DNA sequence: GGAATATTTGACACGGTGTCAAAAACATGT
DNA sequence: ACATGTTTTTGACACCGTGTCAAATATTCC
């Protein structure tokens, strides 16, 4: 066998970076190939299609992201955990390599991918999967908080609410790019869920 | 002058329909031209570019949508108004012409449009504009409700929260397509904002 | 060294965007 | 009625991106 002349993971990282910055439909395999110093055909040979390449890059990202969220949700009072959760979520919207005005939010990249006819059912499912897993993390955190008397209410409903807000924040970030306001909304959400009186 | 052989508004409606169903990047001007019985070149002559055509179609939609929202927010108790608001929002995700499995949610179409490098700054702004106007409508409704003693709290913050949730719902709809769950989240949000005790 | 195997490479077909000049259709003034 | 000017239509073109394919290439194993 002839060995690969490029590193599989390197390409995934480079590809994700491009997808993130320019959107899935906005980046061509030629772009990625150029950046990675690889021939375009090699990418097709190794990954099959742009869609498949995106899916692999996305899975990689989702895994890292979930680990980070788990860590954020794992220490301190319930309020601190939720605050850390929102912080990480909002930071993640823009964190990464490119400092330039990058138009695509990480948290919504999947939507750019899932625009085609229905071929990208897998992308939709991968995204749904990540949302489900995040929701489960938040739900467990709320349940644990409830057991310690820091929360009274429906953990499942509240978790879904919180995750919905984070997705909404991603959309607003995309539209306004106003991070301070996002943090206000996040704080307000925490207050609502934790039943703070002076809201 | 030679007169147009097609109706400007008809084309806008047909174009919006296609953009909605297949996403902005997923529909070609050839598709729209075929559907409208117009030559592709004529569209370029009349609108300039796909982006410009989308913007016009979107503005048209946004106007109609705002009117409908205003109506939904204008009658009954504050709870009824907010319920009608969420109902309309969720219904709008899928309402329209095509009954087939249409992958793109109306509420997020703009994101598909705003994926490019930065050329589509106008699309981003049009979307931000709609969000702002919706937020203002909700804020005013909450303020009016507060004046009647149906709500106590920060109207601006609550309105932003509510609109954030609707954007999040649009994302979830896209990912799961589970409408009953969306309605549950909406009801939960209303309860949170209106400070219902048994949540 | 030779065979088997996987990767690389370049060419190709196809479709979408956007541009352009020539042809066509109408309104107007004479 | 006819010529003129203006705008739309039409078809051709260049360019770029996706995806496929066969030939060339590099490596491992026997």
């Amino acid at each position: 066998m002839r060995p690969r002349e490029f590193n599989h993971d390197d390409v995934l990282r480079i590809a994700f970076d491009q997808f993130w910055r320019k959107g899935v439909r906005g980046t061509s395999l030629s772009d990625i190939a150029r950046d990675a110093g690889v021939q375009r055909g090699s990418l097709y040979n190794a990954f099959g299609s742009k869609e498949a390449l995106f899916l692999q890059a996305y899975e990689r990202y989702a895994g890292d992201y979930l680990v980070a969220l788990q860590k954020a949700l794992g220490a301190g009072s319930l309020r601190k955990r939720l605050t850390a959760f929102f912080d990480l979520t909002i930071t993640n919207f823009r964190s990464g390599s490119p400092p330039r005005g990058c138009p695509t939010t990480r948290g919504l990249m999947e939507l750019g991918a899932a625009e085609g006819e229905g071929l990208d059912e897998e992308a939709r499912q991968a995204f749904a999967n990540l949302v489900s897993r995040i929701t489960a993390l938040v739900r467990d955190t709320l349940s644990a908080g409830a057991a310690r008397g820091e929360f009274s209410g429906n953990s499942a409903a509240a978790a879904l609410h919180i995750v919905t807000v984070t997705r909404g924040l991603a959309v607003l970030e995309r539209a306004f790019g106003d991070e301070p306001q996002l943090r206000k909304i996040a704080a307000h959400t925490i207050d609502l869920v934790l039943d703070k009186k002076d809201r």
Side-chain angles (χ1 to χ4, degrees), chain A:
Chain A
M1 300 212 309
R2 177 172 177 174
R4 284 253 165 78
E5 290 183 3
F6 63 88
N7 182 292
H8 196 265
D9 272 22
D10 285 352
V11 169
L12 281 183
R13 251 185 300 108
I14 291 171
F16 183 83
D17 214 63
Q18 299 256 352
F19 285 142
W20 173 32
R21 291 204 315 245
K22 303 184 293 184
V24 175
R25 275 206 158 84
T27 73
S28 68
L29 283 199
S30 307
D31 294 340
I32 298 171
R34 197 183 320 111
D35 246 49
V38 177
Q39 210 72 12
R40 198 170 56 90
S42 299
L43 295 181
Y44 278 102
N45 176 59
F47 298 98
S49 70
K50 186 168 148 178
E51 166 95 6
L53 172 55
F54 169 72
L55 281 177
Q56 285 199 32
Y58 181 66
E59 290 296 345
R60 191 188 161 73
Y61 153 75
D64 290 353
Y65 185 45
L66 273 173
V67 169
L69 281 184
Q70 202 154 17
K71 190 177 165 198
L73 280 169
S77 67
L78 181 54
R79 172 173 292 272
K80 270 195 162 53
R81 287 171 200 236
L82 291 181
T83 302
F85 168 79
F86 273 108
D87 267 10
L88 180 56
T89 301
I90 292 174
T91 302
N92 184 61
F93 289 162
R94 289 205 164 271
S95 78
S97 2
R100 305 180 325 144
C102 78
T104 303
T105 286
R106 270 192 173 180
L108 285 169
M109 215 176 37
E110 43 275 331
L111 293 172
E115 232 204 282
E117 274 278 78
L119 311 160
D120 31 33
E121 179 61 18
E122 293 181 85
R124 211 213 82 251
Q125 208 148 12
F127 172 52
N129 219 285
L130 178 58
V131 171
S132 293
R133 291 209 268 173
I134 294 174
T135 306
L137 284 183
V138 175
R139 191 197 330 112
D140 292 349
T141 303
L142 288 175
S143 293
R148 291 195 305 271
E150 294 182 272
F151 170 68
S152 63
N154 186 334
S155 295
L160 211 42
H161 180 84
I162 287 174
V163 171
T164 304
V165 169
T166 63
R167 293 305 90 193
L169 287 178
V171 176
L172 292 204
E173 196 276 343
R174 183 75 190 71
F176 298 103
D178 185 355
E179 190 173 313
Q181 190 164 42
L182 298 192
R183 299 196 180 276
K184 269 192 215 165
I185 298 174
H188 187 254
T189 302
I190 294 176
D191 286 347
L192 279 184
V193 169
L194 294 187
D195 201 16
K196 195 179 175 188
K197 286 306 164 210
D198 61 303
R199 68 172 180 274

